[in-house]
Amino acid sequence: DSSSPPPSDYLVAFLPIIIINREFERVPTIDEIDRNDPVAWLKARDQYVRDRWVDREEIKILRERLKECTKRQGVNAKINCQKHVMEYMEALNAYKEKQFSPRNPRWGTLPPGLEINTD
């Protein structure tokens, strides 16, 4: 019967497209929450991870612009592409300064009940 709904695995295949276009509510950062609240901790971590993903994509765009400038300028790229080099390096260094790890001092210890099982 052609009127039956598509199988559930068919719908799951399109799920990433829906998530990409979703807007998330901004929540307090890890520095602003009660670290004993596991829900707030997870929301802050998830927001941090999303922000890092956006930062990575911005770095990819800057790197692509630098590649295009270098290709276009040829032997003069060292002089004419300095602006692109500086933008890329500043973004990359800022990205590296923000490292996520549950053991990172900025993030402190995990809230009770969220211990990592290393077995």
Side-chain angles (χ1 to χ4, degrees):
D1 180 53
S2 62
S3 64
S4 65
S8 61
D9 57 319
Y10 175 82
L11 297 174
V12 171
F14 295 102
L15 189 59
I17 295 170
I18 296 168
I19 291 174
I20 289 173
N21 294 322
R22 181 175 170 194
E23 289 188 31
F24 292 92
E25 178 184 341
R26 299 298 292 180
V27 296
T29 65
I30 194 69
D31 301 324
E32 301 166 349
I33 64 167
D34 174 16
R35 292 178 189 229
N36 292 324
D37 181 2
V39 174
W41 192 90
L42 285 172
K43 285 182 178 182
R45 189 211 51 192
D46 289 347
Q47 176 176 284
Y48 175 83
V49 170
R50 285 190 301 271
D51 290 345
R52 293 284 287 175
W53 182 70
V54 170
D55 292 343
R56 259 193 318 272
E57 294 303 314
E58 289 174 356
I59 289 171
K60 287 179 185 178
I61 291 169
L62 292 172
R63 183 173 44 231
E64 190 60 36
R65 287 181 187 166
L66 178 58
K67 284 180 183 180
E68 290 172 7
C69 181
T70 304
K71 188 183 287 187
R72 188 176 53 250
Q73 295 296 328
V75 295
N76 298 322
K78 198 170 193 177
I79 296 167
N80 296 338
C81 297
Q82 285 182 355
K83 177 184 137 197
H84 296 290
V85 171
M86 294 305 294
E87 287 175 349
Y88 174 71
M89 292 308 295
E90 287 172 7
L92 187 60
N93 288 334
Y95 178 81
K96 287 181 179 181
E97 286 177 9
K98 302 182 225 170
Q99 293 296 320
F100 170 73
S101 168
R103 292 175 184 85
N104 186 323
R106 178 170 180 238
W107 283 86
T109 58
L110 291 169
L114 291 179
E115 290 80 17
I116 296 175
N117 185 0
T118 56
D119 295 338

